Amino acid sequence: MVMDMGRDAGQGVVELAYQPVAGDFLGALRERERLRRRRGWVRRWAVGLIAFAFVLNASLSLAGRDKPDWFLLIWMPLAAALLLCTPRLQARAFLKLAVRNGTYRATVADAGLTVATDNSTTSVNWVAQPRYRETEDAFITYSDDKNASCFTVLPKRGLPDPADADRLRAILDRHATRG
């Protein structure tokens, strides 16, 4: 819902109401990894190195040049799978915490954003989360520390009218840096 609140057309308030889903957090964590390029790079290379070591160990064992190291043959694929599944596991953990709070109602204004649930209310000013990214499904605001440790997910499905996405984007563009 968009409220003009007696201000000129460039200002306003955008309100969202939504139930969180795992995809909200998964999208935020993926975008966060893009912000923290180095860690994403390390994870991809670690999976590649583990896969290479596994194939090398398995092929040497099959060729009879070396006896199989069962520890490596069992734990390497598990380590690679865990590295690949970490964002999904984190998203599920976030969802478990978020579902307990019921319906989320977010208000985005020039002063900052406020997220109210059935159990709590949190206000964040733009200095605390000065960056944002837009995905196909959501707007995500982030803190500016190197790990982007704090973020807020604003799913587009929470907007009462799809046209409100433009108003929300305008508010974010005024107060936060895209990217």
Side-chain angles (χ1 to χ4, degrees), residues 111-123:
L113 53 101
T114 301
V115 179
T117 68
D118 296 342
N119 301 321
S120 65
T121 301
T122 303
S123 293

Side-chain angles (χ1 to χ4, degrees), residues 7 13 16 27 37 39 67 76 96 109 120 131 170 173:
R7 298 180 190 151
V13 175
L16 300 88
R37 293 169 204 249
R39 289 212 176 152
K67 29 180 220 185
M76 284 176 146
K96 283 182 183 179
S120 65
R131 298 185 292 176
D173 283 337

Side-chain angles (χ1 to χ4, degrees), residues 15-30:
E15 294 180 352
L16 300 88
Y18 57 93
Q19 291 285 341
V21 296
D24 296 339
F25 299 110
L26 184 58
L29 291 168
R30 284 183 177 152

Side-chain angles (χ1 to χ4, degrees), residues 4-146:
D4 208 355
M5 306 211 26
R7 298 180 190 151
D8 61 71
Q11 297 184 354
V13 175
V14 177
E15 294 180 352
L16 300 88
Y18 57 93
Q19 291 285 341
V21 296
D24 296 339
F25 299 110
L26 184 58
L29 291 168
R30 284 183 177 152
E31 291 302 315
R32 181 175 164 228
E33 283 300 316
R34 289 187 183 114
L35 287 171
R36 304 173 352 169
R37 293 169 204 249
R38 184 171 180 219
R39 289 212 176 152
W41 177 85
V42 170
R43 181 179 292 149
R44 286 188 297 276
W45 273 95
V47 170
L49 288 174
I50 289 170
F52 175 75
F54 175 78
V55 169
L56 181 65
N57 188 17
S59 61
L60 288 175
S61 297
L62 290 173
R65 295 187 182 185
D66 201 7
K67 29 180 220 185
D69 186 346
W70 292 107
F71 179 80
L72 292 178
L73 288 174
I74 292 170
W75 288 103
M76 284 176 146
L78 290 175
L82 184 61
L83 283 172
L84 290 172
C85 293
T86 297
R88 284 194 188 279
L89 295 172
Q90 288 175 324
R92 288 183 59 184
F94 279 124
L95 180 63
K96 283 182 183 179
L97 293 171
V99 164
R100 294 188 296 186
N101 292 320
T103 301
Y104 279 63
R105 293 167 302 282
T107 304
V108 183
D110 289 321
L113 53 101
T114 301
V115 179
T117 68
D118 296 342
N119 301 321
S120 65
T121 301
T122 303
S123 293
V124 179
N125 63 21
W126 297 116
V127 174
Q129 293 185 357
R131 298 185 292 176
Y132 86 96
R133 285 186 166 244
E134 181 179 358
T135 67
E136 184 178 322
D137 301 322
F139 292 94
I140 305 134
T141 62
Y142 294 96
S143 59
D144 64 348
D145 60 292
K146 72 177 187 173

